[in-house]
Amino acid sequence: MAKIETPFVGGAYTSRSSNLNAQTCQNLYLETDQTGAKSIIALVGTPGCKVWKATGITAEIRALYEYRGSLYAVLGNTVYKFDSAKTPTSIGTLGTDNGFVDITEDESNMVLFDAIGGRIWDDTTFSSITNAAFPAPTGATYQDGYHIMSKSGTNEIYISGFTGTGAADPASWSALNFATVEGTGDMLVSPISVQRQVWLIGTKSTEVWYNSGATFPFERNPGGFMRIGCNAKRSIASYQDELMFLSDKNQVVRKQGLGLIPVSTYQIDYLISTMASVSDARAFMYGQEGHVFYEISFPTADKTLCYDLTTGFWHTRASGPTDIRSRANCAIRFNNLVLVGDFNNGIIYEYDLATFTDNGGVKRAIRTAQHINDDNNRIFFSSFELDMESGVGTTTTTAPQIMLQVSRDGGHTWGPERWKSMGGSGEYKRRVKWNRLGSARNLTMKVTISDPVKRNIFKAYLTGTTAGEVEDG
């Protein structure tokens, strides 16, 4: 009877046929370690939501932004500034209470753009952009002294002017100070500046423009054109020199040089294709402990997908006992913390890797592993063991449990729940092992951790024998 290491660690890759691939990876992400670690690849828990500030305002947090050392948040239609004691003060209101909010800044102002207008904050006064030449925006960005916005229902971009002293002036706009994006003539979704290149993302195409110093300072970069558009304005996100969004082909794409490449796998594309609506998708990017993540939520489908740019693996994120979408709606790095805003309750959280709940609510970690098959021979399994961190009990969760379910039909149906202890506090030698698993031609293991404790999984082992012949049944 042989004991072998069996594939277990992996991403979220359920295919159109679960018989081919039924992998799930919920609230777990892959960590790689090639410095002589026990395993070069492992699963670790995604961050939980620890309350940073409960505002008491029941509203979607549409945007978070840091300006001059203070945190700002857009809750519904109201913009709040937080002081050092985390006390919010309203500085003004926008003309919309839902939808996108793009925030830019120059040397003197923070500017907020929504679907019907713009507001300027100079750290004292909150004022509307009343210039008659200022059109309704679909998105905005800032580069080289210019606030740049796309005009709703057109392929036109407009740029702001300057004050008499040459400073950027977000209140100054001219009906003549615009350019058209003419590669295909599709409508613009949004501009965004990355690496001092302005990416003009449309419904069917994307162009990359640069500051040439001409009368209208921006023009298309030679080679900066691709027939990839965007299906969801709020899916556009950047972090440092990265840019990602949901394309018009319902693939998640990533900037590569002056081009875009798909990073969603066939399985992720299939999952997105099953959703009734994707136009309401919203995403953000953030970095944490050496990883850079792109987290995209689909409110209609109530699902959240996450791509790890560092390892190239996908996983899913969920909240609550029914695994609804992630609570996180937007993000900002502030005072060395990753802060996220809730999608409907007005709470700002710290995304904390040592927290395993969402504001006290359950956050289930689920891993469905690769199928186990030996040339379709029947295998008799005597035991399955996870090599994982044990002894993770806490003062409030003294006897944490992990649950195993087994599928013998390619992930279509699952057997009974079989619970094992993960070890109370200090039980570091506790083995997590299940015996007498029966036989099957195909076996798929699924484990679930609901208790709010560490969930670090390194390897898996199976002990069994092969019948060596094909039988009926």
Side-chain angles (χ1 to χ4, degrees):
M1 186 170 290
K3 180 178 181 179
I4 60 170
E5 182 179 341
T6 184
F8 188 84
V9 174
Y13 301 117
T14 300
S15 66
R16 182 176 290 274
S17 170
S18 66
N19 294 80
L20 177 63
N21 199 340
Q23 289 184 79
T24 61
C25 187
Q26 176 178 297
N27 293 330
L28 296 164
Y29 70 93
L30 275 81
E31 181 79 271
T32 59
D33 189 335
Q34 302 188 50
T35 62
K38 182 178 187 177
S39 176
I40 63 171
I41 191 167
L43 292 172
V44 298
T46 57
C49 291
K50 182 169 70 174
V51 175
W52 184 84
K53 178 64 179 182
T55 64
I57 302 159
T58 303
E60 174 195 3
I61 301 182
R62 300 163 66 188
L64 295 171
Y65 197 80
E66 180 184 5
Y67 178 63
R68 295 186 179 178
S70 295
L71 179 70
Y72 290 80
V74 181
L75 282 80
N77 70 340
T78 307
V79 185
Y80 293 90
K81 177 181 180 180
F82 292 80
D83 63 20
S84 58
K86 304 182 184 179
T87 302
T89 301
S90 170
I91 64 169
T93 59
L94 305 179
T96 59
D97 59 10
N98 61 75
F100 82 90
V101 177
D102 284 347
I103 305 176
T104 62
E105 66 172 284
D106 55 44
E107 61 269 30
S108 303
N109 307 283
M110 178 177 75
V111 188
L112 300 94
F113 300 82
D114 66 3
I116 63 173
R119 304 288 192 275
I120 302 170
W121 171 251
D122 62 7
D123 218 15
T124 302
T125 304
F126 193 78
S127 59
S128 298
I129 299 176
T130 57
N131 190 308
F134 181 76
T138 61
T141 191
Y142 178 86
Q143 183 178 307
D144 300 339
Y146 299 95
H147 298 270
I148 307 165
M149 57 155 292
S150 48
K151 180 182 177 180
S152 177
T154 73
N155 60 346
E156 300 170 354
I157 60 168
Y158 287 74
I159 59 174
S160 61
F162 296 92
T163 66
T165 60
D169 185 3
S172 174
W173 299 83
S174 169
L176 302 177
N177 218 5
F178 76 99
T180 56
V181 180
E182 299 175 336
T184 60
D186 54 325
M187 301 299 99
L188 274 174
V189 175
S190 186
I192 185 168
S193 175
V194 183
Q195 289 184 296
R196 291 194 64 235
Q197 302 273 353
V198 180
W199 291 68
L200 301 174
I201 304 170
T203 56
K204 298 179 181 178
S205 67
T206 298
E207 298 189 14
V208 186
W209 289 30
Y210 73 104
N211 188 345
S212 67
T215 302
F216 186 88
F218 297 99
E219 60 182 86
R220 190 166 77 200
N221 201 314
F225 173 81
M226 59 226 77
R227 291 186 180 275
I228 299 174
C230 177
N231 263 352
K233 150 65 181 170
R234 295 179 73 180
S235 74
I236 301 170
S238 66
Y239 179 83
Q240 295 178 335
D241 295 335
E242 296 284 354
L243 168 66
M244 295 181 67
F245 59 87
L246 181 68
S247 80
D248 59 325
K249 284 81 175 175
N250 282 347
Q251 293 179 300
V252 177
V253 294
R254 177 184 182 183
K255 178 180 78 69
Q256 184 179 76
L258 294 181
L260 294 164
I261 59 170
V263 294
S264 51
T265 63
Y266 305 130
Q267 298 90 350
I268 296 296
D269 291 347
Y270 166 66
L271 177 58
I272 295 173
S273 76
T274 65
M275 299 178 184
S277 176
V278 298
S279 61
D280 58 351
R282 66 278 318 269
F284 58 85
M285 298 180 74
Y286 73 96
Q288 192 169 38
E289 292 193 2
H291 293 257
V292 176
F293 297 102
Y294 173 81
E295 182 173 324
I296 179 169
S297 291
F298 299 85
T300 299
D302 218 8
K303 294 184 182 296
T304 298
L305 310 178
C306 192
Y307 180 67
D308 185 343
L309 284 74
T310 308
T311 63
F313 282 90
W314 284 88
H315 62 274
T316 62
R317 298 190 175 186
S319 183
T322 58
D323 302 320
I324 66 168
R325 59 161 289 197
S326 167
R327 303 300 313 181
N329 202 55
C330 54
I332 188 69
R333 187 170 183 84
F334 181 74
N335 285 349
N336 292 319
L337 301 175
V338 177
L339 300 183
V340 296
D342 193 279
F343 65 82
N344 70 1
N345 68 16
I347 298 177
I348 299 174
Y349 306 105
E350 176 190 346
Y351 241 3
D352 179 34
L353 287 166
T355 296
F356 305 102
T357 69
D358 284 338
N359 189 19
V362 67
K363 192 178 186 75
R364 301 200 307 162
I366 302 174
R367 171 60 183 159
T368 305
Q370 299 90 332
H371 296 315
I372 301 167
N373 180 283
D374 182 27
D375 295 330
N376 213 32
N377 291 318
R378 183 171 294 279
I379 308 174
F380 297 86
F381 301 95
S382 63
S383 69
F384 172 71
E385 182 174 4
L386 279 181
D387 184 354
M388 64 183 300
E389 185 172 353
S390 55
V392 295
T394 65
T395 55
T396 55
T397 307
T398 57
Q401 302 281 304
I402 182 171
M403 184 259 287
L404 171 71
Q405 289 180 286
V406 177
S407 174
R408 305 175 197 278
D409 57 11
H412 292 281
T413 61
W414 297 92
E417 299 177 358
R418 303 180 64 175
W419 294 86
K420 288 291 181 181
S421 171
M422 295 170 64
S425 177
E427 290 187 84
Y428 304 123
K429 295 182 180 179
R430 165 77 67 169
R431 296 175 69 181
V432 181
K433 183 178 180 181
W434 292 264
N435 296 316
R436 293 193 291 271
L437 299 178
S439 67
R441 299 185 190 281
N442 291 277
L443 200 68
T444 311
M445 306 296 192
K446 178 169 70 173
V447 296
T448 302
I449 303 171
S450 300
D451 288 325
V453 295
K454 286 183 180 180
R455 49 279 302 264
N456 300 323
I457 302 173
F458 314 124
K459 298 179 181 181
Y461 298 93
L462 270 174
T463 302
T465 58
T466 303
E469 60 183 14
V470 178
E471 303 173 2
D472 293 334

